[in-house]
Amino acid sequence: MYKKYIKRILDIIISLCGIILLSPVYLVLAILVRQKLGSPVLFKQDRPGKDEKIFKLYKFRSMTDEKDASGNLLPDEERLPAFGKTLRSTSLDELPELFNILKGDMSIIGPRPLLVRYLPRYNDFQKHRHDVRPGLTGLAQTHGRNAITWEKKFEYDVEYVNNLSFALDMKIFFATVRAVLKREGINSGTSATMEEFMGTSAANEP
């Protein structure tokens, strides 16, 4: 009952209330992003959702469009200024995803939506992360976020899919609040964000 009906109803109520209550925050952030990082204010990118259906993800941009002499974009670390790091560490850049949740592309809780090009790189076990709607936050985000390996992250994602419940969603929600306040796991340890997922070798498969 919760998985099929109640979870979606709660997503609609929470995302709609969040959008209304946070409208002044959206306005301030939009102005600051435009002044400090340029336009467009929103970062839009195709991401796979439930059953690998592609949707357009919305986020506040956190990086500039600085390029080298050849016209190529600079590495993420060089395009991520202090303001962008603050947006990411506080997760404020992800607030526009409430519109994705309201539309039905995403859920409040679920595996994070990753890049479309990763789809053919998942093994059969990892593909199960797409059995549910992707989320604003998930089990992996409360257990290290970008500071854990891809394989461990996908293990948490599938664990969530297999044990989805109201109690687990509440546990993840409050753990996420704690993680955001402590700004835990923002970086991978070797990158400003997270290294590219290239696939899992047979030796590392669960």
Side-chain angles (χ1 to χ4, degrees), residues 8 48-50 53-58 97 99-107 113 132-135:
R8 178 60 190 148
K50 186 178 184 299
K53 180 180 178 181
I54 307 301
F55 70 95
K56 192 75 70 176
L57 178 80
Y58 306 123
E97 291 172 39
F99 289 93
N100 287 121
I101 295 170
L102 185 61
K103 289 172 56 183
D105 300 325
M106 295 175 58
S107 178
V132 298
R133 286 186 178 91

Side-chain angles (χ1 to χ4, degrees), residues 30-138:
I31 293 172
L32 289 175
V33 170
R34 178 65 179 84
Q35 291 178 340
K36 296 178 179 294
L37 301 175
S39 61
V41 169
L42 289 181
F43 169 80
K44 302 176 184 179
Q45 189 176 58
D46 287 342
R47 297 291 176 94
K50 186 178 184 299
D51 300 324
E52 300 184 0
K53 180 180 178 181
I54 307 301
F55 70 95
K56 192 75 70 176
L57 178 80
Y58 306 123
K59 298 177 71 172
F60 280 119
R61 72 180 301 166
S62 57
M63 293 193 292
T64 67
D65 289 327
E66 292 181 85
K67 300 178 181 179
D68 59 24
S70 301
N72 300 313
L73 286 174
L74 294 174
D76 288 356
E77 292 83 355
E78 297 180 41
R79 295 190 295 118
L80 186 63
F83 177 69
K85 290 178 181 178
T86 299
L87 285 179
R88 290 192 177 192
S89 66
T90 56
S91 295
L92 289 173
D93 64 319
E94 296 177 359
L95 286 181
E97 291 172 39
L98 288 176
F99 289 93
N100 287 121
I101 295 170
L102 185 61
K103 289 172 56 183
D105 300 325
M106 295 175 58
S107 178
I108 298 294
I109 310 295
R112 286 294 296 161
L114 300 176
L115 301 178
V116 174
R117 65 174 177 268
Y118 290 176
L119 287 175
R121 303 175 189 176
Y122 296 133
N123 59 33
D124 291 339
F125 173 81
Q126 295 164 348
K127 287 180 179 179
H128 285 295
R129 69 189 309 277
H130 293 292
D131 290 349
V132 298
R133 286 186 178 91
L136 185 64
T137 184

Side-chain angles (χ1 to χ4, degrees), residues 190-204:
T190 58
S191 174
T193 52
M194 188 70 184
E195 294 86 357
E196 175 101 0
F197 173 62
M198 302 306 297
T200 301
S201 65
N204 292 326

Side-chain angles (χ1 to χ4, degrees), residues 1-14:
M1 179 67 74
Y2 175 73
K3 181 178 180 180
K4 289 185 177 181
Y5 305 107
I6 299 177
K7 183 175 173 67
R8 178 60 190 148
I9 293 173
L10 289 176
D11 283 339
I12 294 173
I13 295 172
I14 294 172

